[in-house]
Amino acid sequence: EAQVTQNPRYLITVTGKKLTVTCSQNMNHEYMSWYRQDPGLGLRQIYYSMNVEVTDKGDVPEGYKVSRKEKRNFPLILESPSPNQTSLYFCASSLQIANSPLHFGNGTRLTVT
Amino acid sequence: KQEVTQIPAALSVPEGENLVLNCSFTDSAIYNLQWFRQDPGKGLTSLLLIQSSQREQTSGRLNASLDKSSGRSTLYIAASQPGDSATYLCAPRSYNAGNMLTFGGGTRLMVKP
């Protein structure tokens, strides 16, 4: 089944403890991105990747890192999480930019205490 | 910077009504515009993708139109059902701002039996 898989679905951690949220797609998509969703602020893009080894900042990249070493994987790294990074995170991918729909994972709910 | 507005923010209707959800955006330099559905606590499901060269797209009871020059898109839902209850989000994909999707705040729809 074609899908975008995020892990974990739920994560509770403490301030400053490094964490990684994984994202994997099995559709050979070139484009991948990360979003966070917060009440009243909607969905905002954190980082995106046009292809392997090509990443760029979105609207709210501060406090996050990403890497794209393989086409299928696009992990989101929080080196030193803070409470303001408590949010619902989504990974998404599409075959191309111009003509292809964006497919979303099921989300990761992160709580930083 | 692309800004996306969705009106109304919330809508409650009896089953069977035909509905119109509105989306407006400020930057008309877009590749395409996508409509999504989001159920509470869940990921986003792609409903329709309209390319910038198209005027409308249809899928079942859903029809989406696009007027790029005026920065507007409309999602029409025919014969609404309780199962249509969800939040509907529109997202144009801009040439500028790094090919990002920018999301509107959504329309929260409730269809009562």
Side-chain angles (χ1 to χ4, degrees):
Chain A
E1 181 189 353
Q3 59 186 1
V4 179
T5 304
Q6 291 179 234
N7 281 297
R9 290 294 310 279
Y10 302 92
L11 180 57
I12 301 173
T13 190
V14 296
T15 298
K17 186 175 181 181
K18 181 180 178 179
L19 66 91
T20 299
V21 184
T22 64
C23 174
S24 179
Q25 50 89 9
N26 61 359
M27 297 171 279
N28 201 35
H29 284 175
E30 291 182 353
Y31 181 92
M32 298 185 75
S33 61
W34 277 101
Y35 293 83
R36 60 178 289 175
Q37 186 174 34
D38 302 287
L41 297 175
L43 276 149
R44 296 176 292 168
Q45 190 170 50
I46 304 170
Y47 268 95
Y48 65 96
S49 169
M50 308 272 274
N51 214 323
V52 176
E53 301 292 1
V54 181
T55 64
D56 212 339
K57 298 176 181 178
D59 273 339
V60 288
E62 296 79 18
Y64 304 95
K65 285 176 57 177
V66 292
S67 69
R68 187 92 181 272
K69 293 185 170 60
E70 309 164 277
K71 201 170 189 178
R72 64 182 292 128
N73 295 322
F74 191 45
L76 180 69
I77 303 157
L78 284 72
E79 294 272 2
S80 182
S82 62
N84 65 13
Q85 291 178 299
T86 293
S87 186
L88 180 58
Y89 291 87
F90 290 102
C91 179
S93 72
S94 65
L95 185 60
Q96 300 165 343
I97 293 171
N99 301 319
S100 309
L102 200 62
H103 298 268
F104 277 77
N106 286 329
T108 295
R109 187 167 292 282
L110 172 65
T111 302
V112 184
T113 61
Chain B
K1 180 182 176 183
Q2 180 75 275
E3 294 182 4
V4 183
T5 304
Q6 289 188 245
I7 294 173
L11 187 60
S12 181
V13 300
E15 183 176 5
E17 283 207 0
N18 299 325
L19 308 172
V20 176
L21 308 183
N22 295 296
C23 170
S24 61
F25 49 95
T26 55
D27 183 0
S28 62
I30 62 171
Y31 288 111
N32 55 52
L33 184 143
Q34 201 165 348
W35 281 93
F36 295 89
R37 167 189 173 134
Q38 185 176 27
D39 294 287
K42 300 286 180 66
L44 279 71
T45 301
S46 180
L47 297 173
L48 289 164
L49 173 74
I50 313 178
Q51 301 297 342
S52 61
S53 58
Q54 295 176 318
R55 297 286 293 185
E56 64 179 59
Q57 276 284 353
T58 298
S59 175
R61 293 182 295 108
L62 304 179
N63 175 276
S65 66
L66 175 64
D67 185 343
K68 194 177 71 165
S69 60
S70 67
R72 292 179 187 172
S73 179
T74 298
L75 180 67
Y76 177 81
I77 303 176
S80 58
Q81 303 171 357
D84 294 331
S85 298
T87 296
Y88 291 80
L89 297 151
C90 72
R93 197 165 204 174
S94 305
Y95 286 0
N96 305 317
N99 305 308
M100 288 199 308
L101 259 73
T102 304
F103 284 84
T107 294
R108 192 169 63 253
L109 172 65
M110 177 170 291
V111 181
K112 299 177 181 177

